[in-house]
Amino acid sequence: MSYPIVLCEDETIQLHQLNDLMENYILFHNEFHVALQASNPDAVVDFLEKNAPQNGIYFLDIDLKAQINGIQLAQIIRRTDVQAEIIFVTTHDELAPLTLKRKVAALDFIEKDQPLDDYRQEIYDTLDYAKELIDKTRNVQHKSFSFEVGSQIYNLDRSEVIFLEASDIPHRLNLISTNGRFEFYGKLTELEAKYDFLFRISRSCLINPENIQHVDFSIRKIRFLDGSTRKFSIGKSKKLKQVIQQEL
């Protein structure tokens, strides 16, 4: 897993110094990569819009000499990359309370005006800690299932998911769960890749094997714990047996 790092610093010399420190760190920690180094916050906004990064690590100067300052840029990042780790590299640590007020949840404030060795070590320690937090977050997400309905975000435990199938409405999916039925925009292929606990039984249906109650292989029908049933493709029989045995 690679961790994208984004740097935004309007002083060219300081930006190059920060990038050099990152590149030296990456030589021994190749799970990181510098995705963008920018001297203008507009470049970061453009990067967010085009790439929609997730779990990025952002080093930002607070006092950017532009229409968007570092705290405002952090707010934009937080809306796009919800799990972002944001680190302010600044001479203005007195602005730390403002970041709390703006709810950007900064991971750290690193003072520029300190000896280089201390500056380097603080950056590297923060990178280590950011990676630890991202890994823990991903582990939690791996055990859950998230989706959006309108402006609302739902997080279900994986055990609550029974199956998902294509809706009659294009680009929409039906989720059958122990909490009820939901409909939302999505693609089965993307969910299959994102959640490894889901198993595809046909072109139009993903199931959670944990919630299988009974399988009749003679007629290729699965009955789930909620009483609902779905048919599976003949080519899935062998793999389905293996998956069921793994759940026992």
Side-chain angles (χ1 to χ4, degrees):
M1 184 62 67
S2 183
Y3 301 86
I5 298 173
V6 172
L7 314 175
C8 189
E9 164 63 65
D10 61 352
E11 296 291 341
T12 303
I13 294 176
Q14 292 179 358
L15 177 61
H16 289 167
Q17 181 189 56
L18 188 58
N19 184 67
D20 288 344
L21 291 174
M22 297 297 167
E23 295 295 349
N24 289 335
Y25 183 82
I26 291 169
L27 288 175
F28 302 97
H29 303 80
N30 56 18
E31 64 268 35
F32 295 89
H33 71 279
V34 177
L36 176 70
Q37 51 172 320
S39 58
N40 189 298
D42 290 338
V44 179
V45 174
D46 186 59
F47 172 80
L48 294 170
E49 292 175 350
K50 290 181 178 178
N51 297 278
Q54 296 298 311
N55 298 110
I57 302 172
Y58 300 80
F59 286 82
L60 311 177
D61 183 12
I62 288 184
D63 188 24
L64 295 169
K65 296 176 178 62
Q67 288 186 331
I68 301 174
N69 64 36
I71 296 176
Q72 292 169 325
L73 179 58
Q75 289 179 296
I76 295 170
I77 291 169
R78 183 65 67 199
R79 289 196 294 268
T80 303
D81 188 352
V82 178
Q83 299 296 337
E85 299 298 345
I86 297 171
I87 301 101
F88 289 111
V89 182
T90 181
T91 57
H92 297 280
D93 55 0
E94 74 277 4
L95 296 176
L98 183 57
T99 67
L100 294 175
K101 184 176 180 181
R102 298 291 180 87
K103 298 180 175 62
V104 297
L107 180 65
D108 200 359
F109 287 81
I110 298 178
E111 176 65 42
K112 292 180 183 179
D113 298 333
Q114 58 177 312
L116 179 59
D117 287 345
D118 295 339
Y119 180 61
R120 179 193 298 111
Q121 191 58 53
E122 194 169 351
I123 286 174
Y124 292 172
D125 288 345
T126 301
L127 280 169
D128 289 340
Y129 185 49
K131 178 182 180 299
E132 179 183 343
L133 291 178
I134 292 171
D135 286 345
K136 288 180 178 179
T137 299
R138 282 178 168 159
N139 287 336
V140 170
Q141 290 174 337
H142 181 72
K143 298 177 182 178
S144 63
F145 183 85
S146 301
F147 60 97
E148 297 182 23
V149 178
S151 60
Q152 301 182 64
I153 299 176
Y154 291 83
N155 289 296
L156 305 184
D157 187 87
R158 58 180 284 178
S159 64
E160 297 175 287
V161 177
I162 299 176
F163 64 85
L164 298 110
E165 61 185 357
S167 169
D168 293 334
I169 302 174
H171 311 301
R172 293 180 73 90
L173 302 175
N174 292 323
L175 166 64
I176 309 303
S177 76
T178 57
N179 293 319
R181 180 189 182 100
F182 301 89
E183 186 175 71
F184 61 96
Y185 286 102
K187 296 180 180 180
L188 291 177
T189 52
E190 293 179 357
L191 295 179
E192 183 180 18
K194 183 176 181 179
Y195 299 103
D196 60 6
F197 70 88
L198 295 174
F199 176 71
R200 184 182 288 271
I201 62 169
S202 67
R203 289 184 60 189
S204 60
C205 187
L206 295 172
I207 71 166
N208 180 2
E210 293 180 20
N211 287 316
I212 291 177
Q213 183 182 67
H214 176 261
V215 180
D216 189 331
F217 284 92
S218 65
I219 58 174
R220 305 200 313 277
K221 180 180 285 189
I222 301 171
R223 183 169 69 247
F224 299 95
L225 293 176
D226 69 334
S228 58
T229 62
R230 287 298 182 274
K231 300 274 287 187
F232 60 91
S233 304
I234 189 169
K236 299 293 183 179
S237 296
K238 182 178 179 180
K239 182 63 176 178
L240 180 58
K241 288 180 181 179
Q242 294 173 349
V243 170
I244 293 172
Q245 289 173 352
Q246 291 172 3
E247 294 295 326
L248 296 178

